[in-house]
Amino acid sequence: VGKTTTAAALALRAAERHGRRTVVLTIDPARRLAQSLGLTELDNTPRQVKGIDVEASGGELHAMMLDMKRTFDDVVLQHTDPAKAAEIFANPFYQAMSSTFAGTQEYMAMEKLGQLHARGEWDLIVVDTPPSRSALDFLDAPARLSRFLDGRMLRLLLAPARSGGRSMFSLVTASFGMFSKVVQKIIGAQLLTDLSGFVAALDSMFGGFRQRAEQTYRILQARETAFLLVAAPEPDAVREAAYFAGRLREEKMPLAGMVLNRVHRPAVPGLGARESLAAAERLAELGGHEGTVDVLRAHAALVQLAVREQQVAARFTEAFPAVPAVSVTAQPADVHDVDGLRTIGAAISRP
């Protein structure tokens, strides 16, 4: 729906037109932000975007892309000693979790957003969330992390480490012995051993994970935060936007507006589809006006498409009348450079 492009356009406009020191963070696996900004690569560290017009405004634009494994590694290094960090990095369960486990990306996105906010270097942080309902995982990360840390299975896995470092299989409680045998049958003894070692190694860090995630969640609810929904004028996309808007309202998150992207507008709005088709039919009967006939029929189709898009968009605006909405006209080509981002930014910022 153009979400990554919209995020980059907003960040660029904030830097060029409003003189703000801005960083845009993408956690979208599509990796299109670098292309949109004309950069060859993005990584886990903010990189300044060169060649933009900030001489008059004094702003800056930096861009980065979340590397969830590097972020997880950085958290481990920051909150443990080198020996413990090496033990964690060598654990097979950590190696899998930090790279591929579902939800790790959202946890690490919360960590990275919290880090950027805590540094106090930025006037504006723009976060390009995952597509569609995956973005809800970003909001759910603190609560799901707390449920995981407070879960019965985790407490059982931590029990051996907290009882003097004995092997989990030598724990003498009958309930845990029965539990471990059942879990071994399901996931295998080696994986369970790796998991137990991973949990024990990270035990001292879990409280910090939860505390930082909850702090970031409070930042998302703060008055200084603004959520923007981006949707194309298509039924499924607008339905997703409405679902997300309802969820934001439930979570008391500050929803600032909705960007309806890739909207079609006829060049001659005063000429309706019916009149255009009627004129095309008359000229076709006369003959010799094939080019004009084609243009009139194309115009009629565009008018009909624009009407359908307006009807689809109305489903959102009627359900959420208090949410400001702005439309961005469909561009003749994909936006892949700074000039294209300026065009989108200007459209979004129209009063």
Side-chain angles (χ1 to χ4, degrees), residues 68-91:
M68 64 180 182
K69 187 178 188 316
R70 275 197 56 189
T71 302
F72 210 153
D73 290 350
D74 291 344
V75 170
V76 172
L77 288 169
Q78 183 178 356
H79 296 281
T80 60
D81 58 71
K84 181 68 74 174
E87 178 185 346
I88 293 171
F89 293 154
N91 185 283

Side-chain angles (χ1 to χ4, degrees), residues 110 114 117-118 142 208-222:
M110 294 291 281
H117 184 270
F209 268 124
R210 182 186 327 179
Q211 183 181 18
R212 291 190 302 276
E214 290 173 351
Q215 287 174 348
T216 305
Y217 192 75
R218 287 194 291 272
I219 292 171
L220 296 179
Q221 291 180 314

Side-chain angles (χ1 to χ4, degrees), residues 288-307:
H289 300 279
E290 289 79 7
T292 306
V293 169
D294 288 344
V295 169
L296 287 167
R297 287 174 176 167
H299 173 77
L302 185 60
V303 170
Q304 292 168 342
L305 175 61
V307 170

Side-chain angles (χ1 to χ4, degrees), residues 78-295:
Q78 183 178 356
H79 296 281
T80 60
D81 58 71
K84 181 68 74 174
E87 178 185 346
I88 293 171
F89 293 154
N91 185 283
F93 188 82
Y94 174 81
Q95 294 169 6
M97 179 181 178
S98 61
S99 302
T100 59
F101 264 38
T104 303
Q105 184 183 55
E106 287 72 34
Y107 292 148
M108 292 304 107
M110 294 291 281
E111 285 281 350
K112 182 56 68 175
L113 177 56
Q115 290 172 12
L116 291 173
H117 184 270
R119 285 164 62 174
E121 297 180 14
W122 315 102
D123 301 318
L124 178 66
I125 303 171
V126 181
V127 179
D128 170 29
T129 65
S132 189
R133 294 196 185 188
S134 299
L136 293 177
D137 293 337
F138 186 75
L139 298 179
D140 288 338
R144 288 191 291 121
L145 181 59
S146 290
R147 287 196 300 269
F148 170 69
L149 299 179
D150 292 331
R152 182 167 179 247
M153 179 177 177
L154 184 66
R155 292 199 302 270
L156 287 169
L157 289 171
L158 281 172
R162 288 174 174 169
S163 61
R166 289 170 290 165
S167 166
M168 66 173 297
F169 301 111
S170 66
L171 194 68
V172 295
T173 59
S175 61
F176 187 79
M178 185 178 299
F179 163 80
S180 65
K181 289 178 182 178
V182 171
V183 176
Q184 283 183 59
K185 290 181 180 179
I186 298 173
I187 67 175
Q190 184 58 50
L191 180 57
L192 188 56
T193 301
D194 294 339
L195 175 59
S196 177
F198 165 73
V199 168
L202 282 185
D203 184 22
S204 62
M205 294 176 56
F206 280 148
F209 268 124
R210 182 186 327 179
Q211 183 181 18
R212 291 190 302 276
E214 290 173 351
Q215 287 174 348
T216 305
Y217 192 75
R218 287 194 291 272
I219 292 171
L220 296 179
Q221 291 180 314
R223 294 181 61 184
E224 64 186 358
T225 301
F227 281 84
L228 285 177
L229 299 174
V230 182
E234 300 165 359
D236 288 345
V238 171
R239 190 179 304 114
E240 287 291 322
Y243 174 80
F244 205 177
R247 177 66 191 281
L248 288 170
R249 185 165 58 187
E250 292 174 5
E251 299 284 342
K252 295 181 173 56
M253 298 291 181
L255 176 56
M258 202 269 274
V259 177
L260 193 66
N261 197 23
R262 299 174 182 166
V263 172
H264 293 86
R265 292 187 175 94
V268 188
L271 179 60
R274 183 179 300 176
E275 294 81 5
S276 185
L277 288 173
E281 290 299 321
R282 290 196 296 272
L283 289 176
E285 292 172 0
L286 292 172
H289 300 279
E290 289 79 7
T292 306
V293 169
D294 288 344
V295 169

